[in-house]
Amino acid sequence: MSVAAVVPAAGTGTRLGAGVPKAFVPLAGVPIVVRAVDGLLASGAVDEVLVAVPAELVDHARALLAGRPVTVLVGGGERTASVRLALDVLSGPHGGERRGGPAGDGPPEVVLVHDAARPLTPPALVAAVVAEVRAGHPAVVPALPLADTVKRVGPAAAVEATVDRSELRAAQTPQGFAWETLRAAYAESGVDAVATDDAGLVERVGERVVTVPGDPAAFKVTTPWDLRIAELLLEEKA
């Protein structure tokens, strides 16, 4: 059962304030997107990776990711647009625009969508998501319970309610899907559909999404604080 991973990396990531797209910011000397891709491949569960980047950085990304079963393509203006473009590439044969992956034509049986900004995601978490999809679940999301009290806030910053956090989870990536499930969700959602994660699109079309335990190391690098935490974690490992 072949597995492909899609890594949307075309965003600007302005909150990180690094002056370059977030995916290309160095983390302990290695660009964030390279760490994210290498983590996917280190799982032993992913056959090929498609990375969507800004048009002006395609050649740079290909150089960074050379020697890996990776296809670099021009991404869209929104995350969902980038994933849609990658799914279109996966629908076609190997060769041409699509590089890497197992022999044979056509799409993979399993597709993951992974944030480039989660560079420390443990390979074991990637493998766990793939295993659950292979076990028959059409949509799988790693998730963590919330530790903080959650407030619903209205106008003038006034608290309207304290939300019961026992049923809430923070979703992470990679999110895993049976090929037909994710492809159908994108087909039914329309080209202008926007979602903060791909499981959200799957939910909208009525498909069941299950969770697996997430990992704190799979946090998203969004701010300079996050980047420093990631650097410190890597220093501890060195």
Side-chain angles (χ1 to χ4, degrees), residues 7-13 21-24 51-57 73-79 82 116:
V7 179
T12 57
K22 176 169 58 178
F24 293 87
V51 182
V53 304
E56 66 274 16
L57 291 173
L73 62 143
V74 177
E78 299 286 345
R79 172 196 172 88
S82 290

Side-chain angles (χ1 to χ4, degrees), residues 81-173:
S82 290
V83 175
R84 187 184 300 277
L85 289 166
L87 295 180
D88 288 343
V89 173
L90 284 171
S91 296
H94 293 278
E97 186 175 5
R98 183 178 175 190
R99 299 175 176 84
D105 293 342
E109 288 91 349
V110 177
V111 59
L112 306 179
V113 183
H114 186 44
D115 294 333
R118 298 182 190 271
L120 303 187
T121 299
L125 180 58
V126 179
V129 171
V130 172
E132 288 300 306
V133 180
R134 284 176 166 163
H137 299 292
V140 180
V141 176
L144 290 174
L146 299 184
D148 295 326
T149 298
V150 178
K151 304 286 187 182
R152 182 181 295 114
V153 179
V159 173
E160 296 182 344
T162 299
V163 180
D164 180 5
R165 70 185 181 197
S166 66
E167 296 181 352
L168 300 179
R169 297 293 184 271
Q172 298 181 310
T173 72

Side-chain angles (χ1 to χ4, degrees), residues 6 20 23 25 44 50 79 88 102 123 130 168-169 174 176 188 220 232 234:
V6 175
V20 297
V25 173
L50 281 76
R79 172 196 172 88
D88 288 343
V130 172
L168 300 179
R169 297 293 184 271
E188 294 183 38
K220 194 171 186 178
L232 289 172
L234 288 172

Side-chain angles (χ1 to χ4, degrees), residues 17-46:
V20 297
K22 176 169 58 178
F24 293 87
V25 173
L27 170 55
V30 179
I32 287 175
V33 67
V34 174
R35 290 191 181 276
V37 169
D38 285 347
L40 290 167
L41 296 173
S43 71
V46 175

